[in-house]
Amino acid sequence: MSWKRSYHRHCTLVYYMVLLDLTNAVFEFSHPLIRDSGNSQSRQLSHHRLKRSWVWNQFFVLEEYTGTEPLYVGKLHSDMDKGEGLIKYILSGDGAGTMFTIEDATGDIHAIQRLDREERAQYTLRAQALDRRTSRAMEPESEFIIKIQDINDNEPKFLDGPYTASVPEMSPVGTSIIQVSATDADDPTYGSSARVVYSISQGQPYFSVDSKTGIIRTALTNMDRESREYYEVIIQAKDMGGQLGGLAGTTTVNITLSDVNDNPPRFPQKHYQMTVLESLPINSTVGRVLAMDLDEGANAEMKYSIIDGDGFEVFDIVTDPSNQVGVITVKKPLDFETKKSYTLKIEGSNPYLEIRFLNLGPFRDTTSVHITVEDVDEPPLFESSFYFVEVSENVDIGTTIQIVSAKDPDATNNSVRYSIDRNSDPGRYFYVDVTTGALMTARPLDREEVSWHNITILAIEINNPTQIGGVPVTIKVLDVNDNAPTFTTFYETLMCENAKADQLIQTVSAVDQDDPQEGQHISYSLAPDAANNPNFTLRDNQDNTAWILTRRSGFKQSEQSTFYLPLLISDNGHPRLSSTGTLTIQVCSCDEDGDIMSCNAEPYTLPISLSRGALIAILACILVLLVLVLLILSMRRHRKQPYTIDEEDNVHENIVRYDDEGGGEEDTEAFDIAALWNPRETHVGKTRQDMKPEIESLSRYVTQTCRMDNNVHSYMLAKLYEADTDVCAPPFDSLQTYMFEGEGSVAQSLSSLQSLSTDSEQSYDYLTDWGPRFKKLAEMYGTKDNNGSL
């Protein structure tokens, strides 16, 4: 039965076998030389053509055979096979023994394994007929091919799926998106097993696919990304030309609509209200506005600008690239007192437009922003942002060198008080008047010590001390010729005894700490008391140096070993200053070459030495003196005062009393009380017994006015500097000024004796409202009512 099934499968191939004349094919072959075994001489037979005895069927076999018996492929037969069983057929080549077997007696070939054309389409084998008895080849080996016939056993497959594609939104119908391709492993040359047809299973009516090429195209117009962005399309590929019974495969195509600029920007509200403090720094953020755009990416980028309004020059707007928000910032300082509100007209627009969508515009929108400026308590502002002052170093203490002015910029215009930031003036060289802003010197200025001063003057609001304004003041100290030139170093020179006349023995130079504008020029000369010096002379080199020359020769160390030559050093300043420097000249002994041998005079020795007895007497006298000194010190130490018990000296008393108070009513030794009664008269009062005040009362120099003028400030600062620099002055107040209260003063009298305007008794009933702490005072001074209560 199995042979019959194989035969019927191959019956359709008989036609091709006949055409190829493969059935009972005849081959010719030549036999080799035949030797006669009975004759030692061989005879060569003549060659002659014989029929080739191979005969077989055309070998085609269907793939995917699933039967239980081996599949019959074909039959090999030789004409030399007489059916006696003497011929043995063997098979070799591809798959011999594993895929294909042959019955050695009959020549039948069978497939013993399942064949798959997609794995291997054909097999090449070799066949041979052997003599079963001698295993001698009956005929030469021949080669043949077994081809595997295809059946439709493979569905189309999308090797590159699933696919991802994108297409711009609002694209026209028929816009190509992507091409898909399916592959069928069946034989494309045999039947329609590998002819694939494409169709769309999911994704209609939005998309379509070409059945032959697999190109996917848009099928609807006006596909809007803002309405739907993602689509999942399923494409089917079916073989057999799409006919019934064909195999099919599917793939997924994820299509995304890419954005185009088809939506204009729009502000969600047409009016914005913002507030800002007037103290907001420049480039600070005031507020934010946002124009909504349904597009994305570059199509949603926004450009903001101020196109109108009274705040065009005061505010600015920039785009935050991270979220396309318009950020309004301060471009110029704000002032509530000058302008309290601003109005801006802001436009938001798309910088990138597409021509085919301009009909959907305009792609811009406007909104208005009202900004209200809120008042803050600002610190005082100075009239100038910087002050530069030049002052001579010899200016008197208390001299006004600059007047600064500041005012409260707020509407209240509070009064201000001035002071110096002491961190900027640690040496306290300057003082500023608290009310007028007059900057004065408080200490002598010395350019050679500090040539530049950089201080900060503060202006403080009286009603709100936390509001402080400051201004830098640079003070340049101008030079004054107040320093005489001096030697750069101590000069001491050595001179040989054999020095000749007019011999140079020393070059001197000097330095002047001043810095004149015309440059330094130092001149030298002998001091007046050495002008007629017979030993030495001086030559000014006119380059701030001078030479010291010998006037004579013949110096002797034994006569005078050291000379002191005073020199007068003068500068060219105004006024001209000079100093005297002394040059020490020591005479030394030298050899003939001028090398110094000795500069010391011969030591003087006593001709007579002290005897031993004299030395002992001197030591005895010294010892007696030491004993007397120790005895006197011991007697003073053992001298005791009588012991008395005083409560104030009691060591168990922990209260220490101090009756030393200065500046009070009972301190009549520290100041002239008469000067207080009449400041315009000069009284010779008592002075302190422990130390005489070196600073006299200021009241005798101060006129009775309500305002202190610059002369008084100068006097006070000068006296204050004297007190600060006097290390011998005791730590008590010796300067009293009583002119800021009482009659003639703006503050009037602070005493309560003359505070009543009528003769009626003053009422202290308000003390009862001050709480329990003032209850005692209320009882003492308050008036009692009829009920006996206060």
Side-chain angles (χ1 to χ4, degrees), residues 174-208:
T175 301
S176 176
I177 302 174
I178 191 174
Q179 183 178 13
V180 297
S181 177
T183 302
D184 196 321
D186 294 325
D187 188 0
T189 63
Y190 179 74
S192 301
S193 299
R195 188 164 66 90
V196 179
V197 175
Y198 299 95
S199 63
I200 183 167
S201 300
Q202 177 181 316
Q204 296 176 334
Y206 306 102
F207 304 97
S208 63

Side-chain angles (χ1 to χ4, degrees), residues 417-724:
R417 298 175 66 89
Y418 302 94
S419 64
I420 296 178
D421 184 359
R422 287 307 173 188
N423 293 326
S424 64
D425 185 26
R428 297 181 179 270
Y429 288 95
F430 302 96
Y431 168 81
V432 64
D433 188 273
V434 294
T435 57
T436 64
L439 180 62
M440 295 172 283
T441 57
R443 291 184 57 185
L445 303 179
D446 189 357
R447 188 202 66 86
E448 290 71 34
E449 180 181 352
V450 182
S451 59
W452 289 86
H453 296 270
N454 294 294
I455 66 174
T456 300
I457 297 181
L458 306 177
I460 307 172
E461 288 187 17
I462 294 180
N463 294 339
N464 188 3
T466 60
Q467 296 298 328
I468 303 174
V471 65
V473 180
T474 299
I475 302 170
K476 179 182 180 181
V477 182
L478 302 178
D479 183 53
V480 174
N481 191 29
D482 57 349
N483 293 277
T486 58
F487 279 142
T488 57
T489 183
F490 174 74
Y491 286 103
E492 182 178 7
T493 184
L494 304 179
M495 181 187 67
C496 293
E497 290 181 321
N498 56 0
K500 299 179 181 179
D502 293 332
Q503 179 178 336
L504 174 63
I505 61 174
Q506 181 66 48
T507 300
V508 295
S509 62
V511 64
D512 192 343
Q513 295 183 1
D514 295 322
D515 187 18
Q517 296 181 355
E518 61 274 8
Q520 289 187 355
H521 178 69
I522 301 175
S523 59
Y524 303 87
S525 63
L526 294 177
D529 54 349
N532 298 323
N533 188 291
N535 301 314
F536 305 98
T537 185
L538 179 143
R539 180 183 300 171
D540 193 342
N541 297 325
Q542 302 298 320
D543 60 354
N544 296 336
T545 64
W547 288 352
I548 307 301
L549 308 173
T550 58
R551 190 186 292 271
R552 64 177 179 86
S553 60
F555 294 93
K556 292 184 178 181
Q557 184 181 11
S558 58
E559 294 179 357
Q560 187 174 353
S561 61
T562 304
F563 293 91
Y564 299 99
L565 183 63
L567 304 179
L568 184 64
I569 311 169
S570 305
D571 60 15
N572 60 332
H574 302 285
R576 189 182 185 91
L577 300 179
S578 61
S579 65
T580 300
T582 301
L583 173 64
T584 302
I585 305 172
Q586 192 170 358
V587 181
C588 302
S589 299
C590 303
D591 56 13
E592 295 179 356
D593 297 331
D595 296 331
I596 297 175
M597 298 175 58
S598 174
C599 294
N600 297 325
E602 293 294 333
Y604 178 77
T605 59
L606 294 176
I608 302 176
S609 59
L610 296 176
S611 62
R612 181 179 298 177
L615 292 175
I616 293 174
I618 294 173
L619 293 176
C621 293
I622 295 174
L623 182 60
V624 171
L625 291 175
L626 289 175
V627 171
L628 291 176
V629 171
L630 292 175
L631 182 60
I632 294 172
L633 293 176
S634 177
M635 292 176 64
R636 288 186 177 181
R637 180 176 298 176
H638 289 81
R639 184 181 300 170
K640 296 183 180 180
Q641 297 180 355
Y643 180 75
T644 58
I645 298 178
D646 190 1
E647 293 182 357
E648 295 182 357
D649 296 335
N650 189 358
V651 295
H652 298 287
E653 183 67 39
N654 294 327
I655 299 177
V656 181
R657 299 183 180 179
Y658 294 94
D659 293 332
D660 184 10
E661 297 184 1
E665 297 179 358
E666 298 179 359
D667 188 1
T668 58
E669 301 294 333
F671 55 86
D672 186 1
I673 192 63
L676 300 180
W677 296 334
N678 191 355
R680 300 181 181 180
E681 296 182 3
T682 302
H683 297 271
V684 179
K686 297 181 180 180
T687 58
R688 286 186 84 101
Q689 302 300 325
D690 54 350
M691 178 66 70
K692 181 179 180 180
E694 297 183 2
I695 304 178
E696 299 180 358
S697 176
L698 180 65
S699 60
R700 67 186 65 186
Y701 301 100
V702 180
T703 58
Q704 291 293 321
T705 58
C706 298
R707 181 178 178 181
M708 183 180 295
D709 55 15
N710 289 336
N711 293 332
V712 176
H713 275 296
S714 302
Y715 179 80
M716 292 178 63
L717 292 173
K719 291 302 181 180
L720 180 60
Y721 176 73
E722 292 179 8
D724 291 341

Side-chain angles (χ1 to χ4, degrees), residues 3 72 74-76 89 101-110:
W3 180 88
Y72 179 77
K75 183 180 182 65
L76 295 179
Y89 297 97
T101 60
I102 186 171
E103 294 183 7
D104 58 353
T106 62
D108 292 333
I109 301 174
H110 293 83

Side-chain angles (χ1 to χ4, degrees), residues 142-188:
S142 296
E143 184 178 88
F144 65 95
I145 297 174
I146 299 177
K147 292 185 178 181
I148 310 302
Q149 185 180 2
D150 182 52
I151 64 173
N152 188 21
D153 60 342
N154 292 277
E155 72 277 3
K157 294 182 179 180
F158 293 91
L159 302 180
D160 298 329
Y163 296 86
T164 301
S166 65
V167 61
E169 62 173 333
M170 313 298 289
S171 296
V173 175
T175 301
S176 176
I177 302 174
I178 191 174
Q179 183 178 13
V180 297
S181 177
T183 302
D184 196 321
D186 294 325
D187 188 0

